[in-house]
Amino acid sequence: MTGFWALLGAVAVVAVVGVVLRARNGRVRLAAPRAVVPGAVPPAPVLPGPVRDLLDPAAPVTLVQLSTTFCTTCRQTKALLADLARRTEGLRHVELDVTDLPDVAADLGVLRAPTTLALDPSGAELLRVGGVPKGDTLLAALRPHLPGPIG
């Protein structure tokens, strides 16, 4: 009988973990606001070189998608983000395969693929999404940072 209760407990734990992971998938997490001191120049964000090289100073927002070679949901995310960038003024999408760059993922605190970072031209993180983003929610969160109409 003890084995039955152990099995039932294990199934319950797995179910709870599954529900939590599903709820967190695609959720937009806004970056913590930076303290602004009047008259002071804010420090430049420290980004790993491969990410810094992807930034375009002319784009108000760059979506950096961190993917891995064997990630199945990365292709879906790439298609979604590329479409959003194509339809939205001021939004740029780039993809970085971090399969062979574990230090980049660690420096950015990335624990899963895909993870999407929205960065301003200086490299400051505006928001991040773990998993496949929800297009409408992502665009709504980016609205204050984009110059034109939202696609």
Side-chain angles (χ1 to χ4, degrees):
M1 193 67 171
T2 303
F4 171 75
W5 291 112
L7 178 63
L8 188 61
V11 169
V13 167
V14 168
V16 168
V17 168
V19 167
V20 168
L21 289 176
R22 175 168 256 167
R24 293 185 64 186
N25 187 45
R27 190 181 83 204
V28 173
R29 291 182 296 154
L30 299 176
R34 294 181 287 177
V36 178
V37 178
V41 176
V46 179
L47 287 174
V51 176
R52 190 175 51 248
D53 294 343
L54 295 173
L55 292 177
D56 179 0
V61 177
T62 300
L63 296 175
V64 178
Q65 177 186 339
L66 303 169
S67 302
T68 58
T69 303
F70 300 106
C71 169
T72 57
T73 56
C74 293
R75 287 182 292 254
Q76 181 182 358
T77 300
K78 180 179 181 177
L80 174 84
L81 296 178
D83 180 56
L84 289 178
R86 189 180 70 253
R87 294 184 294 123
T88 308
E89 180 185 348
L91 187 61
R92 180 171 178 257
H93 169 250
V94 293
E95 183 179 20
L96 180 63
D97 186 338
V98 294
T99 303
D100 297 323
L101 302 169
D103 53 329
V104 171
D107 290 347
L108 294 171
V110 172
L111 301 175
R112 66 183 290 191
T115 293
T116 304
L117 305 176
L119 305 173
D120 72 6
S122 74
E125 185 176 322
L126 304 171
L127 58 86
R128 73 171 49 202
V129 180
V132 180
K134 295 168 183 66
D136 295 340
T137 306
L138 179 60
L139 283 177
L142 291 173
R143 185 177 307 276
H145 306 285
L146 295 171
I150 301 293

